[in-house]
Amino acid sequence: SPCDSLTPLKYWISKSFGGGKPYYIYINFVVDSVIELSKRMGITTTLQNYPSTMIGSSDLSLYEIMTAYSTFPNAGTSIQPQFITNITDNNGKNIHEFTSKKSKAISDNSAYIMCQILKGPLEQGGTTDSIKEYGIGVKELAGKPGTTNGNTDAWFVGFTPQLIVGVWCGYDDPILKAGQGNHIALPAFGKFMQLVYNDTLLKLNKN
């Protein structure tokens, strides 16, 4: 099997394999510890103590997912997304500034390893290697697609050292089908990243 315990996790993630991956995770980790780690990384939804929780079966908001993903490019520190950064008056004077909540969730080394693993789907042969068609041109790019049961939700979360972007596609009515993350959400991610990284006014660093 391509998903036995000797196969690197990066390969499992890049191919979005099931099979042995859930079983290997289940027998080597405790569900409670995974739930606790999720909380430290910014997940606020109550997670159930089921084996399937360990492979992402819970219904989470994109806001929570992006908070958790922020842990990886920020050297293990989870940073809560901030909708408003500051308020100014009509003369441009700063009235109030808002700062994001930060907390150390995992070690620097673990965060680095996760960044390397999450480069897999976007590399040659990965499930989302079509990202190259968008000409983003960023040297360090990582991310992963996701699809809920029955294709009711599709998402993609990707990041560079400077930017984290999440895309969700779906419906309020779970009867309707959105499709798979790599086919539905990835194009929106690719087009957005193409625009921002080729916008000279933003001055984002591709290297």
Side-chain angles (χ1 to χ4, degrees):
S1 167
C3 291
D4 59 35
S5 61
L6 300 178
T7 305
L9 184 58
K10 184 176 181 179
Y11 183 79
W12 281 347
I13 297 297
S14 71
K15 300 294 184 181
S16 291
F17 274 130
K21 177 176 64 172
Y23 177 71
Y24 178 74
I25 294 175
Y26 177 58
I27 64 175
N28 284 277
F29 299 93
V30 179
V31 180
D32 285 339
S33 64
V34 174
I35 292 175
E36 179 57 34
L37 175 59
S38 299
K39 290 179 181 178
R40 295 205 308 270
M41 294 175 67
I43 302 300
T44 56
T45 295
T46 300
L47 303 179
Q48 301 300 317
N49 194 332
Y50 302 139
S52 61
T53 296
M54 305 176 78
I55 56 171
S57 64
S58 302
D59 189 11
L60 305 177
S61 69
L62 184 61
Y63 180 88
E64 289 178 279
I65 295 173
M66 290 185 65
T67 302
Y69 265 69
S70 73
T71 307
F72 306 136
N74 287 298
T77 298
S78 175
I79 302 178
Q80 191 177 59
Q82 186 70 50
F83 291 109
I84 301 174
T85 57
N86 66 301
I87 299 175
T88 59
D89 62 17
N90 58 346
N91 295 314
K93 182 180 179 180
N94 201 32
I95 298 175
H96 187 76
E97 289 189 357
F98 300 87
T99 57
S100 298
K101 294 181 180 179
K102 302 179 181 180
S103 60
K104 190 69 173 179
I106 59 176
S107 69
D108 296 13
N109 186 55
S110 294
Y112 173 80
I113 291 172
M114 284 303 304
C115 286
Q116 301 311 304
I117 289 174
L118 289 170
K119 289 179 181 178
L122 302 172
E123 293 175 348
Q124 186 68 36
T127 55
T128 52
D129 65 353
S130 60
I131 192 69
K132 60 180 179 293
E133 299 174 5
Y134 297 94
I136 301 170
V138 179
K139 184 178 180 182
E140 298 291 332
L141 183 63
K144 189 183 182 306
T147 308
T148 55
N149 294 339
N151 290 352
T152 55
D153 300 278
W155 56 268
F156 186 90
V157 177
F159 58 86
T160 68
Q162 298 173 299
L163 191 64
I164 300 173
V165 176
V167 177
W168 170 81
C169 301
Y171 302 93
D172 292 333
D173 188 344
I175 295 177
L176 301 173
K177 308 299 182 184
Q180 293 183 319
N182 57 331
H183 296 306
I184 306 299
L186 178 66
F189 172 84
K191 291 177 181 178
F192 176 79
M193 295 293 275
Q194 179 191 55
L195 287 173
V196 297
Y197 269 97
N198 288 288
D199 189 331
T200 55
L201 294 177
L202 297 177
K203 299 179 181 180
L204 293 174
N205 186 1
K206 292 185 176 183
N207 297 316

